[in-house]
Amino acid sequence: MQVVILAGGYGTRISEESAVRPKPMVEIGGRPILWHIMKIYLAHGLNDFVICCGYKGHMIKQFFRDYALDGADVRFDMRENTTTLLRTSNEPWRVTLVDTGLETMTGGRLRRVAPYLNEGPFCCTYGDGVGNVDITRLVAFHRQQGVQATVTAVQPPGRFGAFTLPADSHRIGSFKEKPGGDGAWINGGFFVLEREVLDLIEDESTVWEREPMERLAGSGQLAAFRHEGFWQPMDTLRDKQTLESLWSSGQAPWKVW
């Protein structure tokens, strides 16, 4: 099964980093967050990736070119003008990098990579979020549901302490520091999709999370895989610092490999 990673956006909310590199190339522990996401999938036996590039996509291409060379013995044959990678310690990844445009929306990016997708279902996620999602269980759940699309439902990490305050009292009834999600479930990425969903994407201006997902939900073709474990997007510099701190402590929950 292939994995599509949406990695073409501008990342404006983390402009401190994305001004000089695409958001998926922002590093956690000395490796791009994109690398971390791919390692999560590899831990579940998925190694065929299609990456939707856009903003500063040349930097993503350069990363994989250099990564392949750095992890291998290399033979340059100047006479034949060939380069051969010999013994390698790299992950057994197959990576297809597709320029999906600067202004293309998420749905449009999926439509752009359709020619590179095999028949059957595929995984899809964003290039800026990690979690200890059980991809094996997710795929099995999708097949069991018999739907066209499955999204991983998560409860976002809380940012503030919360308490109950009865209307007729000045005394706090209960207090919980930074509760997760406030009871709400949101789109955490880590999708499993059937190829038919691509037919719901009109053009490059289509936002995947709007019309296509709304239509799938309305027709009973969108299932939710509840993930109650760790999940963290990297939307802001604060999020990056949180992930960096977890990695540095040796207790990164998404490190399932």
Side-chain angles (χ1 to χ4, degrees):
M1 183 179 286
Q2 291 173 290
V3 181
V4 175
I5 302 180
L6 296 165
Y10 285 101
T12 52
R13 284 179 289 181
I14 191 170
S15 58
E16 301 92 340
E17 291 276 356
S18 61
V20 296
R21 70 185 100 187
K23 192 176 180 184
M25 287 290 100
V26 174
E27 294 185 350
I28 304 297
R31 295 289 192 191
I33 192 168
L34 179 61
W35 177 90
H36 292 262
I37 295 167
M38 293 170 69
K39 292 284 281 188
I40 293 169
Y41 279 99
L42 181 62
H44 292 272
L46 301 181
N47 64 355
D48 191 347
F49 297 91
V50 179
I51 299 178
C52 304
C53 300
Y55 173 67
K56 295 186 183 293
H58 67 281
M59 296 183 70
I60 300 177
K61 294 176 182 178
Q62 289 171 357
F63 169 76
F64 283 104
R65 180 197 62 192
D66 295 344
Y67 191 70
L69 289 174
D70 291 346
D73 294 338
V74 186
R75 175 182 294 134
F76 296 101
D77 190 322
M78 309 299 185
R79 183 177 54 190
E80 298 295 331
N81 194 29
T82 61
T83 301
T84 305
L85 300 185
L86 306 173
R87 182 195 58 82
T88 179
S89 59
N90 287 329
E91 293 84 355
W93 289 335
R94 181 186 184 198
V95 185
T96 304
L97 300 161
V98 185
D99 181 3
T100 56
L102 280 176
E103 306 297 334
T104 311
M105 296 292 103
T106 47
R109 295 190 191 282
L110 281 174
R111 180 176 170 143
R112 282 273 195 105
V113 302
Y116 303 97
L117 298 179
N118 301 330
E119 293 300 320
F122 60 95
C123 290
C124 177
T125 196
Y126 304 108
D128 61 356
V130 291
N132 56 354
V133 179
D134 189 332
I135 306 296
T136 302
R137 283 187 57 230
L138 166 62
V139 172
F141 173 85
H142 171 78
R143 287 175 169 152
Q144 186 181 53
Q145 294 298 307
V147 293
Q148 291 183 10
T150 295
V151 59
T152 296
V154 299
Q155 294 185 300
R159 293 195 183 278
F160 305 99
F163 51 82
T164 58
L165 186 62
D168 58 350
S169 173
H170 297 293
R171 300 295 177 91
I172 293 174
S174 65
F175 181 88
K176 187 174 183 181
E177 177 63 6
K178 298 181 180 178
D182 298 326
W185 293 89
I186 67 168
N187 166 17
F190 293 96
F191 300 93
V192 183
L193 307 174
E194 300 293 330
R195 279 190 62 100
E196 298 96 285
V197 303
L198 301 178
D199 296 333
L200 301 175
I201 300 170
E202 268 191 52
D203 53 36
E204 294 183 358
S205 66
T206 301
V207 178
W208 163 247
E209 299 80 4
R210 292 181 185 166
E211 293 90 347
M213 287 188 68
E214 290 168 2
R215 289 177 63 184
L216 286 165
S219 62
Q221 288 295 318
L222 179 62
F225 176 77
R226 288 181 174 84
H227 173 63
E228 297 180 343
F230 177 84
W231 175 84
Q232 176 69 57
M234 190 183 65
D235 284 334
T236 66
L237 186 59
R238 177 178 177 174
D239 293 333
K240 177 192 181 306
Q241 292 166 345
T242 296
L243 293 170
E244 189 70 58
S245 177
L246 286 169
W247 185 266
S248 299
S249 71
Q251 299 178 352
W254 70 90
K255 189 178 183 297
V256 295
W257 57 90

